[in-house]
Amino acid sequence: MSFSFSSRGILFPVLLALLILPVSVIAQNTVINGKVTDPDGNPVPSVSVSVKGTKLGTTTKADGTYTLSVIKKGGEILVFTSVGFVDKEMPLGAGNEVNIQLEKSSQSMDAVVVVGYGTQKRKDVTGAVASLDKQRLENMPNSNLLQALEGAVPGVSINTNGGGAEGNNLSIIIRGQRSISGNRDVLIILDGIPYNGSISDINPSDVASVDILKDAAAMAIYGSRSANGVILITTKRGTGGKPTISYDGFYGMQSYANLPPILMGEDFYNFKVTREPASVTFSELANYNAKKFTNWLDLGTRRGQRTQHALSVRGGSNNFKYYASLTYLDVKGIALNDNFKRLSSRINLEANLTTWLTFGTNTQLSYNNRAGLSTTFAGDYGAYLFNPLTTPYDSSGKPTIYPWQEDTFFENPLAPTLAKSKDDTYKIFTTNYIQVKFPFVPGLSYKFNSGIEYQGRDIANYYGRNTRTGLLAGGKLTQSNSVTKNVTLENILAYDRTFGKHTIGFTGLYSYQEDVVTSNGLTAVGFPNDVLTFYQANVASLVTPTAALERRDLISKMGRLNYNFDSRYMLTITARHDAFSGFGAGKKYSFFPAAAVAWNIINESFMANSKAFSNLKLRLSYGANGNTAVSAYQTLAKLSTRTYVDGSATAAGYIPTSFANPQLGWETSKTFNLGLDFGFWKNRLTGTIDYYNTKTEDLLLNRSVSSVQGITTVTQNIGKTANQGFELGLAATIIKGKDFTWTANANLTISRNKIVDLYGNGLDDTLNQWFIGHPIDVNFGYVFDGVWQLTDDTLHTAQGVVKAGYAKVKDINKDGVINALDRTILGKNQPSFSWGMSNTFTYQNLSLYVFVYGVQGREQPNTLMSDNNVNSGVRYTTIKKNWWTKTNPTNDFYANVLNATQGRAVPILQNSSFVRIRDISLSYDFKGKVLAKSGLSKLRVYFQARNPFTITKWTGLDPEFTSQTAVPLQREFLVGLNVSL
C-alpha cells in the first residue's frame, strides 16, 4: 500500500489525534446507565436516550436498560423519547445511574387498549373503545374505582346518589338508559373474567388500566350481558429486572360539602306557630323557652377521616414475572358511626414455562368490615326533617329513647348508633390461565381461562332496650349469612398472522359460567336481657327464619374475525351465541352479531405530505347486544307463604304471587355507530367524535292484568325504546417548554332516550309515569303557576274557591277544571349535555392537576321544597323559603298555611345544573441528586382537595343526588406520599 505526500500529510494528524483521544476520553468521559420503565413498572425497550443539544445517544434494550458514554461539563440533560409515551427530560446529576419512568401518552395511536379476549393498538381498533386517563388512576387516591371514572370518559355517566364511608353509593350508565324496568348494570370484566361483586371490593391501587366498550361492535363479544356497556379492568403485572418496592399512603380529613337551609330553632318555632298555633306541645314549648334547640344534622355528623397504606413489589426475569400488594384502607365517614375498612392483597404471577407454554394467575383476597349503623338521615326518623324542638340526650348524656315526649311514634335519629352491629365480608377472586403457542402453526394459540369468585358475608344487628325498636320488641336481632359463588371456564382459540400487507386475526370462544347465591337469616324478638346480643337467638320468644337459593347458568360461543390491509382498511366481524337458564324453555338461546369497518385515512398516499394531520381514522359499526335483565326463576309460577290459624294451631299456607311465562326472553339492543379519530400537529391535539343510535326491543315490562286471581302484573317482552347521542373527547398538549408543560383532556356527552312503544296499543302508562315519545325517567305532576294574589278573583277559578296565598295550579288542557288530566311532564331529568375537563400544569418537579365536571340543562323538582311533608301538627321541619304573606306578595312560594295546595302535590322545579371542581392535586416529584443520594427511584409528595367547590342554583342537598335526604357529599383534604425503591 502506498500513499501520496498529501495523503501522509492528512494521515499523520489523524493518527496523532487517535493516539491522544483515548487519554482525553478516559479522563473526561462518564458512563451513564439506567433503566426506563412505564407507569406500571414494565421495562420499555427501544427508547431513544440522548444528550440534549448533542448527537450523543443510544436506545434501551429489551429489558429497558441502557448505557451511554457522556463527556461531563456540567448542566447536561438527558432526553428520553418513545412512541406511545410522553417525552421526558432529566438533568444529569453527580451520579452515574439514571432510572426514569415514562408516562404513557393517551394521545398515541400506538397505545395498547384491551378489547376483550385480547388487546389491540388503538390505531387498529374498529369499535368505540375509550380508555381512562392514567393520571386519574395513578395520582388520585380513590377508595372506589368508579370515582376515577366520574366525568372523565365521554358517554360514561357516574351518578352519585349519596355520600358514605364506603363510597359505593354510585351508579353507572354507559350511553344513556335503554331498559325501562330491566337490569341496568354494566358488565364488569376483571382480568378477563366477569366480575359480579361490589366494585368497592376492587383496590384502585392495583389497577393498571380501565377500558370501556361502548358500541355494539366492541361489546358484541360479550353478547347477552353487554347491552348496558362493558368495563374492562386490568390489574398490574410483574416486570423483568430487579424488584421494585413501592409504598403509597395518604391521610385525609372530611367534612360535608353542603347542607340545605333547614329550619332550626327560632325559625322552626315561628314556622310552626304560624301554620298551626295549637300544635305546639308542652315539651316543645319548654325547649323553646329554654332556647334548647337541636341541630340533628350536626349531632348526626362528624369530621370524617380516610387513610390508606399500600405496599407493593414487582419484578421478575424474562421467564417469570410477579406483582404482589397489600393494602389497608380505613374510612370513618362524616355520618356518625359510618365506618368502612378494607384489607386486600393481590398476587399476580406469570411464568413462561417453555417458549410455547405460559401459565398465569391473578388473585385478589379481601376482607371488608362495614360494622356500625350510622345516623338515620331519611324517612320518618331522619335527621334532615326531624323536629328541632325535641330532646336528643337524657340527663346521663345517652340518646333518648323518645326524643319527643308527647309523640312516641318517633325514634331518635341517633338510635342506630347504639345498636350492636357486625358486617364482615371475606372474598376471593382469582383468574388463572394456561396459554399454548403452537410452534408448528405460527400465530396460532390456545388459552384456557378459569375464574373463581367466592364471597361470604355475615351481617348481624341487635337493638337493645336503649332504643325504641328494641324496647318495643323486648330486644330485636336480625341476622343474615350469604355465600356467593361464581365459576367461569373459557376456551379461547386465537390466530394472528401477517402476510405482506394483510393481517388476519381470529378469536374463537366457548365458555360456561355458573352463579350461585345461597342465603339464610333470621329475625328474633323478645329476649330476657340484652347481654349476649347476637348469640342468644335460641332464647327469643319469636324466631322467624328465612332461606333462599338462586342459580344462573350461561353457556356462550363466540367468533371474532379481524382483517387489516396495509394499516389502512380494517374489518371486524363478531358473532356470539348465548344460552341463559333464566329464560323460558323456548327462549333460552339468542344470537348477537356485529360488524365494524375502519379506514385509516392518515396512511393513504395523499396524506403523506400533510403537515397538519398526524392521525385520521373513520369508523363505522352496527350490531346487536342483549340484556338478561331478569332474576332467576322469573319465568316460573311462584307461591308465597301465608300462615293461617287452624283452631288453636298455626298452619302453613300459600298464595300465588306470579304467573308462569315460558315465553320470557331477551331484551335486545341494536346500535349504529359512526366515529372519527383525529390528531393534529404531531398529536399535539387528538380526539374522537362518535355518533350512535340504539334501538331496544322486547323490553321486559310488568304488564297490568286482572286481579281476579290475586296477581296484578305479569312480566312480558313488550315495548321499545330508542337512544341516540353524540360524544367528543379531546386531549391536547397546549404548552410544551423546557421547564413548563400544560396538558389538557376534555369530553362532552349528549344523550337522548325515549320510549317508542309500551304495550302495542299506542297508550301511555300514567301510573308508572311511562310516556311514549318521552324519556324513560320523567317527573310528572301538576304545574306550579305562582301564587293567588289579593287582587285576583279567588272565587271563580279552575281550582274552585281559593284564598290569596294559595298555590296556583296551571290548567294544562284549558277546560276550566283542575283535575288529574292537568298533570304533565315536569322539567328535564335528561340533561342537555354533560362534560368533564382536566388540566395538568407541570413546572420542573412541581405539578398541579385540576379536574372539573358538570351537568347542564337539567330541571327537577326539589322534594325538600314541599311544605306538605311537615304533616298535620307540623311534626317535621322543612327548608327556608320565600313564603307569601300579605306584606310579601311573592310568586316564589305559597303561604305558610294549611291546605295551601288544596291537597295536591305541587312540586317546585329548580335548575339542577352544576359545575363541580372534583379534584385539585398539587404534587412534587423529587429527582436528581435527592433520589441518587437516597437510593430511591421515586419520591413524590402531594396534597389533594376533593369536591372543594360546586357551582349550582340548586337549593337542596346536592343537584347530583337522587335523594335529597341522603348522607351528605364529602369535602376532603388529604396529603399523600409515593415512594419506590
Side-chain angles (χ1 to χ4, degrees), residues 64-348:
T65 61
Y66 70 93
T67 301
L68 179 63
S69 181
V70 179
I71 301 175
K72 275 194 174 183
K73 296 180 181 179
E76 287 79 16
I77 297 176
L78 294 183
V79 180
F80 300 81
T81 61
S82 180
V83 175
F85 294 86
V86 178
D87 296 351
K88 196 161 190 177
E89 296 182 358
M90 175 66 72
L92 190 58
N96 297 338
E97 182 176 353
V98 179
N99 297 316
I100 201 77
Q101 185 180 84
L102 294 182
E103 296 180 8
K104 290 184 179 179
S105 172
S106 59
Q107 306 172 25
S108 172
M109 290 299 103
D110 288 316
V112 174
V113 296
V114 180
V115 293
Y117 305 110
T119 60
Q120 283 184 307
K121 289 185 177 179
R122 183 167 292 280
K123 66 180 181 181
D124 297 329
V125 173
T126 57
V129 180
S131 300
L132 179 64
D133 180 9
K134 294 294 178 70
Q135 191 155 356
R136 295 287 299 161
L137 277 174
E138 296 166 3
N139 297 334
M140 298 295 106
N142 299 299
S143 299
N144 188 307
L145 190 60
L146 289 185
Q147 293 170 338
L149 279 169
E150 192 169 17
V153 179
V156 179
S157 174
I158 307 294
N159 297 325
T160 303
N161 304 318
E166 189 172 350
N168 68 331
N169 201 351
L170 304 166
S171 59
I172 180 169
I173 298 176
I174 297 177
R175 288 192 161 181
Q177 188 175 333
R178 303 167 180 83
S179 182
I180 295 180
S181 57
N183 179 14
R184 301 178 185 180
D185 294 338
V186 302
L187 175 63
I188 296 176
I189 305 295
L190 178 59
D191 288 330
I193 296 295
Y195 179 80
N196 294 332
S198 170
I199 201 165
S200 63
D201 291 336
I202 301 174
N203 180 13
S205 300
D206 289 332
V207 175
S209 67
V210 178
D211 299 284
I212 299 95
L213 310 183
K214 298 191 291 184
D215 72 336
M219 299 186 299
I221 55 172
Y222 292 106
S224 63
R225 296 163 294 174
S226 62
N228 296 321
V230 182
I231 297 179
L232 305 174
I233 301 172
T234 304
T235 57
K236 294 176 180 177
R237 300 291 189 264
T239 60
K242 65 179 183 180
T244 299
I245 301 174
S246 300
Y247 167 79
D248 295 339
F250 60 79
Y251 174 79
M253 300 290 290
Q254 300 177 341
S255 60
Y256 48 75
N258 176 65
L259 289 178
I262 301 293
L263 292 179
M264 299 292 179
E266 292 272 3
D267 290 335
F268 172 74
Y269 177 81
N270 292 333
F271 170 81
K272 183 164 185 169
V273 297
T274 300
R275 190 176 184 87
E276 294 185 61
S279 66
V280 179
T281 63
F282 175 79
S283 64
E284 288 178 298
L285 185 61
N287 282 332
Y288 173 75
N289 291 331
K291 304 303 178 186
K292 292 182 179 179
F293 304 134
T294 301
N295 187 326
W296 288 100
L297 286 172
D298 274 355
L299 295 180
T301 56
R302 63 185 176 184
R303 185 166 295 278
Q305 301 178 52
R306 185 164 68 106
T307 184
Q308 178 173 291
H309 303 281
L311 187 65
S312 66
V313 59
R314 64 196 312 174
S317 62
N318 291 335
N319 294 321
F320 180 75
K321 297 180 177 63
Y322 60 87
Y323 170 84
S325 71
L326 180 65
T327 303
Y328 175 70
L329 172 71
D330 186 2
V331 187
K332 295 177 175 61
I334 60 173
L336 196 64
N337 212 35
D338 180 21
N339 305 309
F340 178 69
K341 297 178 182 179
R342 180 179 65 214
L343 178 63
S344 63
S345 65
R346 172 168 286 278
I347 300 177
N348 292 350

Side-chain angles (χ1 to χ4, degrees), residues 37 77 258 530 565 673 700 753 760 824 926:
T37 58
I77 297 176
N258 176 65
D530 297 329
F565 175 74
N673 191 96
L700 291 154
N753 72 67
T824 188
F926 292 88

Side-chain angles (χ1 to χ4, degrees), residues 301-464:
T301 56
R302 63 185 176 184
R303 185 166 295 278
Q305 301 178 52
R306 185 164 68 106
T307 184
Q308 178 173 291
H309 303 281
L311 187 65
S312 66
V313 59
R314 64 196 312 174
S317 62
N318 291 335
N319 294 321
F320 180 75
K321 297 180 177 63
Y322 60 87
Y323 170 84
S325 71
L326 180 65
T327 303
Y328 175 70
L329 172 71
D330 186 2
V331 187
K332 295 177 175 61
I334 60 173
L336 196 64
N337 212 35
D338 180 21
N339 305 309
F340 178 69
K341 297 178 182 179
R342 180 179 65 214
L343 178 63
S344 63
S345 65
R346 172 168 286 278
I347 300 177
N348 292 350
L349 306 174
E350 184 175 82
N352 296 321
L353 304 179
T354 67
T355 56
W356 52 269
L357 181 63
T358 301
F359 167 77
T361 180
N362 308 297
T363 301
Q364 173 182 294
L365 303 172
S366 64
Y367 164 70
N368 292 346
N369 185 333
R370 301 177 176 90
L373 301 180
S374 68
T375 305
T376 302
F377 285 91
D380 293 331
Y381 308 140
Y384 280 100
L385 303 180
F386 206 85
N387 187 335
L389 297 178
T390 52
T391 305
Y393 300 105
D394 60 21
S395 57
S396 63
K398 297 179 181 179
T400 52
I401 295 176
Y402 297 110
W404 192 351
Q405 296 176 12
E406 293 87 358
D407 200 334
T408 56
F409 168 79
F410 291 100
E411 182 170 55
N412 195 317
L414 305 178
T417 65
L418 301 176
K420 182 72 173 178
S421 170
K422 70 174 181 178
D423 188 344
D424 299 316
T425 301
Y426 299 88
K427 183 166 189 171
I428 179 171
F429 183 86
T430 178
T431 67
N432 305 277
Y433 61 90
I434 294 178
Q435 185 172 24
V436 180
K437 297 180 180 179
F438 298 99
F440 48 85
V441 183
L444 182 65
S445 65
Y446 166 77
K447 186 177 184 180
F448 177 73
N449 247 2
S450 68
I452 298 175
E453 184 176 358
Y454 183 94
Q455 174 180 294
R457 187 170 184 180
D458 181 14
I459 305 174
N461 297 304
Y462 183 82
Y463 288 86

Side-chain angles (χ1 to χ4, degrees), residues 594-608:
V597 293
W599 177 22
N600 253 334
I601 306 172
I602 193 66
N603 291 335
E604 295 291 349
S605 58
F606 59 80
M607 295 292 292

